[in-house]
Amino acid sequence: MKKIECVIMDWAGTAVDYGCFAPVSAFIESFNAIGISITAEEARRPMGLTKIDHIRALFQMERIGEAFYQKYGRKYNETDVQGRYAEFQRLLFATLREYTGPISGVIQTIDTLRCRGIKIGSTTGYTKEMMDVVVPAAAENGYRVDNYVTSDNLPAGRPYPYMIYKNMCDLGVSSRFSVLKYGDTISDIKEGLNAGVWTVGVILGSNELGLTEDEVQKMPAEELKKRMMEVRERMYAAGAHYVVESIEELPALIDCINTRMANE
C-alpha cells in the first residue's frame, strides 16, 4: 500500500526563522549599499530560489532594473549581480545564527512523524556554507532533520526537482508518491510539483505572509484572516495540493493523504 514515508521540509520560514527575515534584511541592505532601495515585498517575491538566482530575479524586476539604469546610466550586468551577492553573503553570515530558532510546533510535530517511521529530509535556497551555520545552530535548539540537501553540485536549485530527488536517494525512498514536500514559498510549491510529489504550503511563519510572530498575535482578527486567505489563494494558484495554517495540521493531513492513496 502506498503511504507517505518521507516529509521534505524547507528551512527559513518553514522550520526556523519565523517570517523568513534573515535573507530579507540582507537582500534589502545589499541593494541599499549601491543606492538602490528595494521593498520587503520585492525582496520576498523570489524567495526559495538559490540566493544568487534570487539576486538575478531582483535585478530583473522592471522597477529595480530601471532604478539601476537611472542611477548608473547603463543596464546591470553579471558583475553587478555578483557584487550584490557578495555583499548579501557578508550581511547574511553576520546575523544568520540569530535566525535559527525553530518555529512553534515544528519540533513536536517532527517528533510525532518520526514516531510513525516517517523520514525527515530537507531542501533550501541556502548554500552548503550557509547551512553549515544553520544546521548545527538549529540542532542546539532541538530541531534536527535526517538529511539536508543544498543545490551545490546539483544541476540547479528550485524550482527544479533535483534537491528532492537527492533526498529520495539519500534516504532510500523509492516512490515519489511516498514523498511530501512542505514549504512556505511559491518556489517550494513549484519544486514539489516538478518532482511529482505531494506538495503542501504553510501560512503561519511563512515568507508569503511575511509577519513576525508578535505581529500575528497583535493583528486584528479580520485583517489577519484576510492576509492568510490571500496567502492560501496564492499557494493554491501555484498548484499546491494542500495548504495548512501551521505544521500541527500535518499529521492529520498525512492520514488523509494515505487514505486517499489507499482508495485510489
Side-chain angles (χ1 to χ4, degrees):
M1 182 181 76
K2 289 184 292 187
K3 65 177 184 178
I4 299 299
E5 299 175 14
C6 175
V7 170
I8 297 180
M9 302 281 292
D10 175 50
W11 283 82
T14 298
V16 300
D17 186 8
Y18 193 108
C20 195
F21 281 93
V24 171
S25 59
F27 283 125
I28 290 172
E29 291 304 315
S30 69
F31 276 79
N32 281 344
I34 57 169
I36 305 294
S37 296
I38 67 173
T39 67
E41 187 278 330
E42 287 169 332
R44 289 182 180 281
R45 208 181 300 166
M47 198 67 73
L49 301 178
T50 61
K51 301 316 174 196
I52 185 64
D53 286 337
H54 192 131
I55 295 284
R56 293 189 180 105
L58 290 171
F59 270 113
Q60 288 165 7
M61 291 181 189
E62 184 175 354
R63 190 199 69 77
I64 296 173
E66 179 61 22
F68 184 92
Y69 184 84
Q70 291 298 323
K71 186 170 184 65
Y72 292 98
R74 62 175 177 84
K75 294 183 178 180
Y76 74 90
N77 56 38
E78 185 62 18
T79 299
D80 300 308
V81 170
Q82 294 295 333
R84 290 313 84 219
Y85 182 53
E87 180 67 0
F88 165 81
Q89 291 183 93
R90 185 188 70 78
L91 292 161
L92 184 71
F93 278 115
T95 60
L96 186 54
R97 188 177 178 84
E98 301 170 19
Y99 292 89
T100 55
I103 291 172
S104 177
V106 167
I107 293 175
Q108 297 88 336
T109 302
I110 293 302
D111 286 345
T112 297
L113 297 180
R114 281 202 173 100
C115 286
R116 296 185 179 188
I118 294 175
K119 301 171 183 177
I120 308 300
S122 65
T123 68
T124 181
Y126 285 152
T127 63
K128 184 181 183 304
E129 188 177 7
M130 295 168 190
M131 292 306 291
D132 286 343
V133 176
V134 173
V135 171
E140 289 173 11
N141 288 306
Y143 179 66
R144 296 174 177 82
V145 296
D146 301 320
N147 194 55
Y148 76 92
V149 175
T150 69
S151 64
D152 301 67
N153 302 315
L154 292 177
R158 297 173 184 146
Y160 297 96
Y162 305 115
M163 288 190 289
I164 290 178
Y165 294 158
K166 182 69 164 58
N167 270 283
M168 291 175 65
C169 290
D170 291 347
L171 295 172
V173 181
S174 60
S175 172
R176 64 184 177 88
F177 299 109
S178 297
V179 176
L180 185 149
K181 176 65 206 301
Y182 179 83
D184 71 296
T185 69
I186 301 303
S187 291
D188 283 300
I189 291 167
K190 291 180 178 178
E191 177 189 35
L193 294 175
N194 286 335
V197 303
W198 294 99
T199 303
V200 178
V202 60
I203 300 173
L204 291 174
S206 71
N207 172 75
E208 293 299 311
L209 189 61
L211 299 172
T212 66
E213 195 164 12
D214 187 57
E215 287 171 332
V216 167
Q217 292 171 352
K218 292 180 178 178
M219 184 170 289
E222 284 304 309
E223 176 63 19
L224 179 60
K225 181 179 178 180
K226 176 186 174 183
R227 294 199 187 191
M228 290 176 67
M229 181 57 68
E230 289 171 351
V231 173
R232 186 182 299 275
E233 289 174 353
R234 284 201 301 275
M235 288 181 167
Y236 275 127
H241 295 111
Y242 299 96
V243 178
V244 296
E245 289 188 6
S246 69
I247 197 167
E248 284 97 337
E249 298 175 49
L250 198 52
L253 176 58
I254 288 173
D255 289 339
C256 290
I257 292 172
N258 287 341
T259 299
R260 175 176 169 179
M261 287 194 289
N263 292 332
E264 287 179 348

